[in-house]
Amino acid sequence: MRTAIPATLSLRTREALTGWLFVSPITLGFLIFFVGPLIAVFGYSLTEWNLLSQKSTFVGMQNYADALGRNPDFWHVTRNSLIFAAGLVPLNMGLALYLAVALSRPFRGVVAFRTIFFAPVVTAAVAWAIVWTFLLQGEQGAVNQALALIGIDGPNWLREPSWAMAAVIVTRVFKTVGLNMILYIAALQAIPRDYEEAARLEGASGWQIFRMITWPLLAPTTLVIMVITVVGSLKVFDHIYLMTGGGPENGTLVLAFYIYEQGFKFFDTGYAAALAVILFVLIAVLTIGQVILRARSERA
Amino acid sequence: MRHHSRLVRFAWIVSLCLLAVPFIFPFLWMISGSVKGQAEIFAPGLTLIPEVFRWENFAEVFSYQPFARQYVNSLYIAVVVTGLTLIVASLAGYALARVRFAGSGLLLLILISALMMPEEVTIIPNFFLMRDLGLMNTHAPLILLPVFGSQGVMATFLMRQYFTAIPKELEEAARMDGLSRLGIFWKVALPLSRPALAAVGIITFLFSWNLFLEPLVFLSDIELFTLPLALSNFTDAYGLPLWHLQMAATSLAVIPILVVYITAQRQIVESFALSGVKG
C-alpha cells in the first residue's frame, strides 16, 4: 500500500508533466506572439505615440474619442466596412448555396464544376486581385471589351467611386465562394435521402422540399458559414490594397486597411492601436453572438 | 438532380456554365497576357492566343527583380512553416485530446477563442516585438506568426478533433506493452492521424504561400521578398504596372499550385472542408 500511493501519484504527475510538455511550444509561442501583443495593443491604444518621434505619452481614452467623435474618417471607414460586408455576405452565401445545391449530387461533370469554382480558393489572393485589376482596366480591360460586344459602355470600374466598391466585393466573392460551397455540399450530403423521398411521395415540389426540409436542416451550417464570412469580410486587406488602395476618394477604405494605413503609413501608432481594439471587439462580439445563437437554436 | 426533367436539368447546367466564366476566364486571360507584348496586351478583340508569342516576358520577370530568389524564399518559408506547425500542432493537439493535466480545459478554451482573430489586430505590437528582437527585415516573423498565431491555433484544434476520434483501445494496448506517452504518440497516434496531418499540412502550406500583410510590414529588402509581395512589384518608372510582366510573374506563381490542385483535387478540397474555420 505504502508504495502504491506514491506510485499512482507519480504516474499522474508524470502524465500532467507530459501534457504540459506537449502543449508548451504552442502555449509559449501563443503567449509571446498573440496574447502579449493583444494586451499590448490595448495599452498602446491609450497613448499618443508616433512611430517616428519615438515619444509615447499616456492620453487615456483620447484615441477612442478621436475615432468616435472628432475624426470623420472613422465613421466613413466603418460605413465602408459595413457596406462591404452587407454586399459580400448575402452574395457569397447565396451563390455558395446555389452552387452547392447544383453540385451536391453526382452527375457527369460535377467534379469538373466543383474544381473550377473552388480553384480561386487555392489561388493567392494577391494573384487573384492583380488579375482582376487587369481585367477591370478602363476602356481596354477585358471586362469592358466583353461588355462592348453586347453594346454596353462599361465604366472605369476601379476608378469610379460608385463602381469600385461593387467591383471589389464581386471579385472577392469569386475568390472565396468555393469554400462556402464546399461546406454547404458537405452539409447537404449529410441530409438523409429518405426525407426528400417521403416529401416527394406526398407530392411536394422541388422548391417546397428545399424550403420546408433542406433549408431548415442547413441552419447550423448556415450560421457557421455566416460568421466565417462576416469575419472574413471585416478583415479584408489584400484585395483593397492591390485593387484600389482604399480609393477612389476613399470609397473603398475599410477598417483593416485603415488600421494598416494609420499604423504603417502615417505612423500614428496609438490611434491605429485603438482602431485595432475596435476591430477586435467587433469580431469578438460577432463570434460570441454566433455561439449564443447556436446554443439557443439547439435548445429550441 | 435525379428527379428533374430534362429541361430543368439543362437550365441548371447552362447556369453553371455561365457562372463558371468569371472563375475560369481570369486564369486564361492571365496566361494569355503572360505571352503577349506590351502593345498587344490591351489590343481590342479579346484574343486569347496572341499573334506573336513573347516568351521573353518570362526571362524579363527574372531580370527585372530577383524573382528566382523570391520564389525560393516563398517555397522554403512555406515548407518550414508547414513542418513546424505539424510538429507543434500535433503535439499540443494530442495532449489536449488524450493526456489529463490540470488546466487543459482552460487552455483549450483560450486557444479556441483566438481562432477567429485576424492578424490585423495584433500586427502593430508584433511589429515592435520583432523590431526589439532584431528580426525586422528577416524571414523570422513570417515563420513565427503563422506557427504561433491563429493559423497554428487552428491547426492544433483540428489535430485535437482528429485525435479525440481515434479509439482509445488502440493506445491502451500499446500502453500495456510498456510504451511511454511519447512512444504512443509517435508510434500509434501519429501514424493513425495521417489524413489529418495531410489536411493541416495542405492548408498551412497554402496559408504561408499566400501570406501578404506580414511580408508587407516586415520586409523591405527586395532580395527577401516573398512571391505575393514580389508580384505587385512589376511597375515602370512612373509606378504604373507593366502588365505583361505582371501576368508572366503571376502565371509562374499560380500555375504550379493549380497543377498540384487539379491532380490532388479531392484531397485538397476535403482538407478545406475539414477546417471550415478560415475564409
Side-chain angles (χ1 to χ4, degrees), chain A residues 225-245:
Chain A
I225 290 180
M226 187 144 95
V227 172
I228 299 173
T229 313
V230 171
V231 171
S233 75
L234 286 178
K235 66 183 201 192
V236 63
F237 174 77
D238 24 22
H239 263 80
I240 304 287
Y241 182 92
L242 288 152
M243 292 184 76
T244 63

Side-chain angles (χ1 to χ4, degrees), chain A:
Chain A
M1 279 303 277
R2 255 191 198 174
T3 51
I5 295 161
T8 54
L9 255 184
S10 89
L11 197 69
R12 198 184 280 177
T13 318
R14 233 173 47 202
E15 179 86 344
L17 271 177
T18 319
W20 275 108
L21 208 65
F22 276 33
V23 296
S24 58
I26 189 85
T27 308
L28 276 176
F30 185 68
L31 285 174
I32 298 169
F33 299 110
F34 191 90
V35 178
L38 197 59
I39 295 167
V41 84
F42 278 91
Y44 292 179
S45 76
L46 304 176
T47 64
E48 169 84 54
W49 185 1
N50 189 297
L51 190 58
L52 295 180
S53 67
Q54 301 280 356
K55 253 185 14 199
S56 152
T57 29
F58 182 82
V59 293
M61 302 300 280
Q62 191 57 47
N63 288 317
Y64 294 96
D66 276 353
L68 302 174
R70 232 181 295 158
N71 196 334
D73 278 356
F74 176 77
W75 290 111
H76 178 73
V77 166
T78 309
R79 198 172 137 260
N80 281 345
S81 276
L82 292 179
I83 292 173
F84 186 84
L88 181 125
V89 175
L91 202 59
N92 192 333
M93 293 181 67
L95 185 58
L97 186 58
Y98 181 85
L99 293 174
V101 169
L103 300 173
S104 62
R105 288 184 189 171
F107 64 92
R108 260 178 51 162
V110 69
V111 175
F113 276 122
R114 278 190 214 160
T115 308
I116 288 166
F117 291 119
F118 194 78
V121 177
V122 299
T123 307
V126 169
W128 193 248
I130 287 174
V131 174
W132 271 102
T133 309
F134 179 47
L135 288 163
L136 291 169
Q137 289 301 297
E139 273 170 44
Q140 322 111 308
V143 170
N144 281 349
Q145 284 202 37
L147 287 176
L149 291 179
I150 50 171
I152 298 172
D153 188 15
N156 191 343
W157 299 95
L158 300 174
R159 294 285 161 80
E160 287 178 25
S162 46
W163 285 109
M165 182 60 103
V168 177
I169 290 173
V170 171
T171 53
R172 180 75 183 172
V173 168
F174 293 151
K175 167 77 177 78
T176 53
V177 72
L179 186 62
N180 289 347
M181 172 192 78
I182 288 299
L183 298 178
Y184 263 137
I185 287 178
L188 283 168
Q189 287 174 341
I191 297 175
R193 283 287 180 80
D194 318 5
Y195 293 5
E196 192 191 321
E197 303 288 338
R200 209 166 278 281
L201 286 176
E202 302 276 328
S205 72
W207 171 245
Q208 280 174 323
I209 293 172
F210 179 78
R211 257 202 50 202
M212 311 304 278
I213 299 174
T214 317
W215 177 244
L217 285 171
L218 285 177
T221 311
T222 302
L223 207 55
V224 171
I225 290 180
M226 187 144 95
V227 172
I228 299 173
T229 313
V230 171
V231 171
S233 75
L234 286 178
K235 66 183 201 192
V236 63
F237 174 77
D238 24 22
H239 263 80
I240 304 287
Y241 182 92
L242 288 152
M243 292 184 76
T244 63
E249 295 166 26
N250 289 345
T252 57
L253 193 63
V254 293
L255 198 48
F257 188 79
Y258 189 51
I259 294 173
Y260 169 81
E261 218 180 41
Q262 294 299 318
F264 297 105
K265 255 169 88 182
F266 305 133
F267 306 112
D268 196 346
T269 307
Y271 184 56
L275 297 169
V277 170
I278 291 170
L279 180 65
F280 168 81
V281 172
L282 249 173
I283 291 176
V285 167
L286 280 168
T287 316
I288 295 166
Q290 177 234 357
V291 174
I292 294 171
L293 260 175
R294 206 200 297 187
R296 205 180 279 170
S297 73
E298 267 165 21
R299 242 186 296 137

